[in-house]
Amino acid sequence: MYICSNCWNESLIWKWQCDFCKSWNTLKEFKESKEKKWVRVWEKKSLALISSPHEEESRIITTSIELNTVLWGGIVLWSVMLLSGEPGIGKSTLSLQLANWIHEEIIYISGEETLGQLRSRAKRLNIEWGNIEILTENILEDIFTSIEWKTPKVVIWDSISVLMGWEISGTGGSVSQVRYIAEKIVEYSKARNITSIIIGHVTKDGSLAGPKTLEHMVDTVLYFEGEKYDDIRMLRCLKNRFWATHELGLYKMTEEGLHDLDNPALELLSWSEWIGLALWITIEWRRALIVETEALTNYTKFWYPKRSSRGIPQSKLDLIIAVLSKYTPVKLESYDVYANISRGIKVEEPGLDLALAMSIISSKLGKTLPKSSVFIGEISLTGQIKSVMLLEKRIKEALKLGFTEIYIPHGSKEKLTASIDPKELTALKDFLHIKDIIAIL
Ligand code: TYD
Ligand code: MG
């Protein structure tokens, strides 16, 4: 907290000019003794509990459709959320942008960045200061004191690994500290009817820096991820006490912060035909997404042909090459094969098989695949094209995007006649075996 040395007016954020007496450069940081503050915060807590009128609505609906989707409608009031992800992925950016996405009062506590850094970031993000106040502090007790008389709807804690409590030993980010801080934040939020968003860093291996128990202590766990050298970001809900998980939100990181990626096809596709390029529809957490897969085959200069893949497990690539060599005229024993999935998307699901096979065939034969085509299906060891989960959803997505050649497993067309417009049925081409589908080239 900052206090004006001229008039004793209090301010949560540091300003050049005092709001009350208008004198310049008189705001000084003010810290009280630890014990006293602690008691005061918790006395206030019980008062707040009794007097607070419960709100009618249960969710804060944001203007980010992607965030609403991931959270099944919006941010649940009085819930505690953990937003985790690797350092630098955009967690602070996302939380600061909440100020533009909701009308409710927010307090953003930053233990990591200075006011100057936050100000310039907020400027880049076009944040109006109407509904957000910033506090740069990392001692929990001091934070509670500073926000004691505030009545925010949302408090953002950035980040749990730098917040520290005096009452517990250990340095910031240590297991005991993280646990303690999380406990206090949960207690504080529930008692005061505040929605808290706790930011947590994830280490390279994907585990949260701090105890796993942290995930059990909160209501919702969100995970923000993306490739370092790409601007697509994915927001996943790993745990949701209020509703189901498995919804995926997509964002694009720009110079002015994150934007909803409401039409991923525009972003993820090059919209032109190339040798070695095949399109398919994947299901990422129940969301149908159009993705490109590319392959390159080259006569090998070495004893053993090289196989290399990005975004696709190597074993899958080996398997598809083996099936092609066995059942089709596309022989690859003396060819290097490279395969990629674009835009940092990683795929393990079997729905990719057919598109991967087609991209390899296209490269080997030196011919482009039919215009406006998409391939959906699993390939078995016998060379059969098999159905995949949520096939109908994938097909509908392909139709919605206007694709006119949708290659699918044999037998699935009949099953879909009832649910698809008869005019669109002509777009569906079904094949039984990988050897038959080669004829389209
Ligand atoms: P940040 O939110 O600080 O990540 P985290 O809190 O997860 O550590 O985001 C940092 C990255 O985001 C940084 O590399 C710069 C980039 N960025 C943009 O590209 N555009 C923007 O408008 C902002 C604010 C950040
Ligand atoms: Mg950050």
Side-chain angles (χ1 to χ4, degrees):
M1 179 160 47
Y2 298 87
I3 295 197
C4 173
S5 51
N6 188 39
C7 69
W8 294 96
N9 181 46
E10 294 177 1
S11 170
L12 190 59
I13 55 172
W14 188 85
K15 292 171 180 169
W16 272 107
Q17 190 180 24
C18 170
D19 280 342
F20 192 73
C21 70
K22 306 292 176 206
S23 49
W24 291 93
N25 207 10
T26 50
L27 257 62
K28 299 275 181 286
E29 195 168 4
F30 178 73
K31 284 187 179 170
E32 283 177 298
S33 82
K34 309 294 170 291
E35 302 75 27
K36 198 170 140 230
K37 271 186 286 180
W38 191 246
V39 175
R40 274 174 57 196
V41 169
W42 297 110
E43 274 172 6
K44 179 76 188 334
K45 176 190 83 176
S46 36
L47 278 179
L49 239 189
I50 302 158
S51 60
S52 94
H54 281 240
E55 306 271 353
E56 287 302 315
E57 79 274 72
S58 57
R59 276 169 207 264
I60 303 172
I61 298 165
T62 77
T63 55
S64 166
I65 311 252
E66 297 293 310
L67 185 59
N68 295 343
T69 309
V70 173
L71 295 173
W72 284 74
I75 302 169
V76 174
L77 278 177
W78 316 328
S79 65
V80 178
M81 271 199 277
L82 174 68
L83 172 61
S84 59
E86 282 184 19
I89 206 68
K91 300 178 296 295
S92 302
T93 308
L94 179 81
S95 343
L96 208 54
Q97 276 188 268
L98 252 195
N100 284 348
W101 296 346
I102 65 177
H103 295 297
E104 284 70 10
E105 296 288 316
I106 304 176
I107 290 185
Y108 183 101
I109 295 154
S110 178
E112 299 198 340
E113 281 147 315
T114 64
L115 262 181
Q117 283 170 319
L118 288 164
R119 260 203 222 107
S120 67
R121 169 174 299 184
K123 206 169 157 195
R124 269 173 77 182
L125 300 172
N126 294 317
I127 306 264
E128 307 252 339
W129 294 104
N131 63 337
I132 186 164
E133 283 185 284
I134 293 199
L135 174 70
T136 50
E137 176 66 75
N138 64 347
I139 305 297
L140 193 68
E141 293 85 347
D142 292 349
I143 293 169
F144 284 142
T145 310
S146 301
I147 63 177
E148 194 180 345
W149 304 106
K150 299 277 173 185
T151 50
K153 277 272 168 59
V154 179
V155 179
I156 295 159
W157 312 80
D158 190 2
S159 71
I160 185 117
S161 40
V162 297
L163 295 182
M164 275 170 64
W166 287 125
E167 300 201 348
I168 195 102
S169 60
T171 50
S174 66
V175 172
S176 56
Q177 282 283 356
V178 166
R179 230 198 117 95
Y180 173 80
I181 302 279
E183 260 169 29
K184 289 296 170 197
I185 293 176
V186 171
E187 217 177 292
Y188 174 82
S189 311
K190 301 289 173 193
R192 291 220 180 181
N193 298 338
I194 283 169
T195 304
S196 273
I197 301 173
I198 304 175
I199 294 178
H201 295 303
V202 162
T203 51
K204 276 274 171 284
D205 64 1
S207 63
L208 197 72
K212 186 82 181 158
T213 44
L214 186 53
E215 294 184 12
H216 299 300
M217 291 162 73
V218 298
D219 302 308
T220 307
V221 178
L222 295 180
Y223 187 66
F224 205 36
E225 64 176 340
E227 279 289 298
K228 208 169 173 183
Y229 299 106
D230 204 305
D231 52 10
I232 307 263
R233 297 285 179 271
M234 296 185 185
L235 185 66
R236 296 173 200 271
C237 185
L238 303 187
K239 169 187 169 177
N240 195 346
R241 195 168 276 168
F242 308 102
W243 212 257
T245 51
H246 291 95
E247 283 297 333
L248 174 76
L250 291 169
Y251 287 95
K252 185 182 164 94
M253 179 67 95
T254 69
E255 283 292 304
E256 290 86 38
L258 294 156
H259 293 293
D260 277 24
L261 201 64
D262 38 17
N263 192 354
L266 283 181
E267 200 54 51
L268 299 171
L269 297 192
S270 50
W271 293 104
S272 51
E273 292 94 52
W274 296 97
I275 289 172
L277 179 77
L279 302 185
W280 62 294
I281 309 263
T282 184
I283 297 286
E284 270 281 329
W285 288 53
R286 299 192 63 78
R287 180 162 183 170
L289 264 189
I290 179 108
V291 181
E292 284 181 346
T293 165
E294 307 164 340
L296 172 68
T297 61
N298 251 339
Y299 190 74
T300 189
K301 293 196 221 72
F302 306 102
W303 280 101
Y304 294 105
K306 195 171 158 63
R307 275 86 170 85
S308 159
S309 62
R310 200 181 67 203
I312 305 165
Q314 179 86 30
S315 56
K316 182 178 282 291
L317 179 61
D318 290 338
L319 191 134
I320 298 294
I321 293 170
V323 170
L324 289 179
S325 298
K326 176 87 179 170
Y327 298 110
T328 73
V330 179
K331 307 295 178 203
L332 296 155
E333 290 85 349
S334 42
Y335 278 76
D336 292 336
V337 183
Y338 304 88
N340 279 349
I341 301 247
S342 59
R343 307 306 298 268
I345 294 169
K346 293 183 187 66
V347 178
E348 289 190 14
E349 62 126 342
L352 158 74
D353 292 1
L354 187 57
L356 178 60
M358 294 315 287
S359 64
I360 296 171
I361 295 170
S362 162
S363 178
K364 177 72 184 1
L365 302 183
K367 293 181 182 171
T368 56
L369 291 165
K371 219 177 159 67
S372 192
S373 62
V374 182
F375 300 85
I376 311 163
E378 178 179 354
I379 298 180
S380 74
L381 293 180
T382 59
Q384 280 181 78
I385 301 168
K386 297 210 156 161
S387 192
V388 285
M389 65 147 190
L390 298 173
L391 182 68
E392 187 178 333
K393 190 167 186 171
R394 301 184 203 229
I395 292 173
K396 285 191 170 154
E397 179 69 14
L399 288 168
K400 199 175 92 192
L401 292 169
F403 286 94
T404 51
E405 311 250 315
I406 303 170
Y407 294 88
I408 51 173
H410 183 69
S412 29
K413 197 167 165 178
E414 290 73 43
K415 289 189 202 141
L416 295 169
T417 40
S419 58
I420 287 175
D421 185 339
K423 274 188 267 147
E424 294 182 318
L425 273 178
T426 53
L428 307 186
K429 327 262 177 218
D430 58 344
F431 282 85
L432 181 64
H433 198 274
I434 187 71
K435 69 176 179 343
D436 307 323
I437 201 169
I438 290 197
I440 67 168
L441 273 166

